Amino acid sequence: MLRRCFILGVLGTCTVILGTLGLNYSSPTLFAGISNLMPGFTFVLAMIFRMEKFEVKRRTWQAKSVGTIVSIIGASVMTLYQGPTILGSSSSSTSDLPQQYSLLSQDSSRWVVGGVMIVASYVVASGWYILKTAILKDYPEQITIVFFSTFFSSIQCAIVTLLLERKLDAWKLQPGIGMIAIVASAVLEPVCVNNIAAFCLVMKGPLYVAMFKPLGVVIAAIMNLIFLAEALYLGSIVGSIIITVGFYVVMWGMLREATDIILCETTAPATANQTSPLLQK
């Protein structure tokens, strides 16, 4: 079990490093757009590792597949299409962003390398969901698994960072937003996010958890409007509606699938007793 937690830590370390390097080589726009593909990656890997059944003719499989694609499309629309301003001031428009944050301002070779790294990071993150679900099925102690995987990942990240970053000045932490971000991420990620994700992975599986990834774009847009007074654009509204439709289609498919399983389990003993009188004797 410790060996599998170590591998889980390796996947987490690769996700962080590849995602950070990809963001450095490309842009936040590309990063946000590719992150919305995570439900698709998770769905494919879940079918490869037989956590999801490949049944094209079943309505539940069709609903989950279509819903996943619709959610990806909605998140992509929300990320890549802005449109006219609906609420708030448009002073924080993407046209006012620094040039290094513009998708078109990136060097083509760096942009491609960054895109490949971001895709790889989210494929590895999907594998992290799959492996963690398999571990929790054999050892359903969420807090223990989260502790050891975070412990191994912290050691691995420290070793990799020490090898790559030789400047001592880069290790100095100054009071301010940087330190607040580090402390907040250290507390929220392992304590809140990982434990909640582990609980949901045991209850509903990797696809259920991954389907909430596109909803993060919707939540971010709403919180930007409320707390940062940023503008709400037509693209955000249209994308949010598409994401919601896709999300509920997947949820319907998973609910219908769970209902069918329960019905089969409850009706199977009665059918066996009716058709097998010798067993009753």
Side-chain angles (χ1 to χ4, degrees):
M1 191 61 62
L2 286 176
R3 184 167 57 249
R4 296 169 76 180
C5 287
F6 179 83
I7 298 174
L8 197 65
V10 171
L11 295 179
T13 301
C14 293
T15 301
V16 173
I17 294 175
L18 288 172
T20 305
L21 290 176
L23 180 62
N24 185 42
Y25 275 93
S26 58
S27 70
T29 304
L30 183 64
F31 188 90
I34 295 178
S35 69
N36 300 317
L37 299 176
M38 190 171 178
F41 295 149
T42 306
F43 190 39
V44 172
L45 288 177
M47 286 191 296
I48 292 175
F49 290 100
R50 297 181 180 180
M51 290 185 177
E52 293 286 342
K53 296 181 180 179
F54 186 77
E55 298 173 330
V56 182
K57 296 182 179 180
R58 291 196 63 179
R59 293 179 61 186
T60 55
W61 188 91
Q62 295 172 357
K64 290 189 289 185
S65 302
V66 173
T68 301
I69 296 173
V70 170
S71 295
I72 292 172
I73 293 174
S76 301
V77 169
M78 194 171 180
T79 304
L80 302 177
Y81 172 69
Q82 179 174 312
T85 305
I86 303 299
L87 292 174
S89 174
S90 60
S91 58
S92 60
S93 173
T94 53
S95 61
D96 298 330
L97 290 173
Q99 187 177 6
Q100 64 266 25
Y101 290 107
S102 176
L103 184 64
L104 299 177
S105 66
Q106 302 295 322
D107 179 73
S108 58
S109 59
R110 289 175 57 87
W111 184 81
V112 171
V113 172
V116 171
M117 288 183 175
I118 296 171
V119 170
S121 70
Y122 279 103
V123 172
V124 174
S126 300
W128 185 87
Y129 279 157
I130 300 296
L131 178 59
K132 195 167 188 176
T133 304
I135 295 175
L136 289 171
K137 285 183 178 179
D138 295 335
Y139 190 81
E141 294 291 337
Q142 294 96 340
I143 297 178
T144 304
I145 298 299
V146 170
F147 169 79
F148 280 109
S149 62
T150 305
F151 174 74
F152 288 131
S153 182
S154 301
I155 296 175
Q156 294 159 8
C157 283
I159 294 174
V160 173
T161 309
L162 287 172
L163 293 175
L164 296 179
E165 184 58 69
R166 302 297 179 87
K167 297 180 181 179
L168 295 178
D169 294 337
W171 292 89
K172 295 180 180 179
L173 291 178
Q174 301 295 333
I177 189 65
M179 184 174 292
I180 294 175
I182 292 173
V183 174
S185 62
V187 173
L188 294 177
E189 183 70 19
V191 176
C192 298
V193 177
N194 287 350
N195 277 293
I196 294 173
F199 176 78
C200 295
L201 286 172
V202 174
M203 297 295 293
K204 295 295 183 180
L207 179 61
Y208 181 88
V209 178
M211 278 305 302
F212 285 84
K213 185 65 178 179
L215 288 178
V217 184
V218 180
I219 296 171
I222 296 173
M223 299 199 56
N224 282 339
L225 176 66
I226 296 174
F227 295 104
L228 301 180
E230 293 189 2
L232 183 64
Y233 299 98
L234 178 63
S236 298
I237 297 176
V238 174
S240 300
I241 294 173
I242 298 175
I243 290 173
T244 304
V245 172
F247 177 79
Y248 277 106
V249 169
V250 174
M251 293 299 107
W252 178 86
M254 298 185 73
L255 179 62
R256 183 64 181 270
E257 191 175 56
T259 305
D260 293 342
I261 293 174
I262 294 174
L263 290 175
C264 290
E265 290 177 351
T266 54
T267 57
T271 305
N273 292 333
Q274 292 175 3
T275 56
S276 304
L278 293 178
L279 292 178
Q280 294 178 353
K281 295 180 180 180

